[in-house]
Amino acid sequence: MMSIKAPNGFPKIALCRIVHAKSGLFFNGYDKYYNSSKGKNTLSVTNYESIFCANKEEKEILVEVFEGNIVVKNDKEYIRNVIVYAGSEIHKILAEYYTEYEYLPIEDFKIKRVINM
């Protein structure tokens, strides 16, 4: 793979993925067709949403990406999680860690930097 290096003084750019740390599932983004037959799962075994993250802290990236999908319960932040089909592979994987799947703790998500430029 060819590497591109930014000149001194320019911010570093990284291509990142968000990973659910407990299960290893990838954040797949949110679908504008939420609650319809065209919806997609928030988490996926194979698909992921690529995110550009330049000189940002992990928490800052997570808050930006999950914006509008974060709720606070008992002073703890959770993200909205969409599972299109109950009983799906994603549902079964998350059942190992949670009893409720609609909202997952934001602290269970980590940034994985894939490419640094």
Side-chain angles (χ1 to χ4, degrees):
M1 176 187 296
M2 188 171 93
S3 176
I4 300 171
K5 186 175 179 181
N8 288 337
F10 281 85
K12 286 193 173 195
I13 299 171
L15 187 58
C16 303
R17 295 180 194 154
I18 297 175
V19 179
H20 182 256
K22 290 182 177 183
S23 66
L25 294 169
F26 297 111
F27 174 68
N28 193 31
Y30 290 105
D31 194 337
K32 64 182 177 181
Y33 298 109
Y34 176 58
N35 281 337
S36 76
S37 62
K38 296 180 181 181
K40 69 177 178 179
N41 293 324
T42 303
L43 300 174
S44 173
V45 174
T46 55
N47 296 327
Y48 55 87
E49 182 176 284
S50 294
I51 300 156
F52 288 105
C53 37
N55 292 335
K56 294 181 183 176
E57 296 294 322
E58 184 167 298
K59 177 70 175 173
E60 182 182 7
I61 296 166
L62 292 174
V63 168
E64 283 181 17
V65 171
F66 295 142
E67 182 180 14
N69 293 289
I70 298 174
V71 294
V72 178
K73 298 179 188 179
N74 300 324
D75 295 326
K76 192 173 179 179
E77 291 181 314
Y78 294 83
I79 67 139
R80 181 174 61 87
N81 179 46
V82 178
I83 299 177
V84 178
Y85 300 108
S88 69
E89 181 180 3
I90 302 301
H91 192 255
K92 291 175 186 175
I93 291 169
L94 291 176
E96 295 179 30
Y97 308 100
Y98 307 102
T99 55
E100 295 182 29
Y101 317 102
E102 187 175 346
Y103 290 93
L104 304 177
I106 196 170
E107 66 191 25
D108 290 351
F109 291 86
K110 303 295 178 207
I111 299 296
K112 179 177 180 184
R113 296 185 189 270
V114 180
I115 299 173
N116 287 311
M117 295 185 268

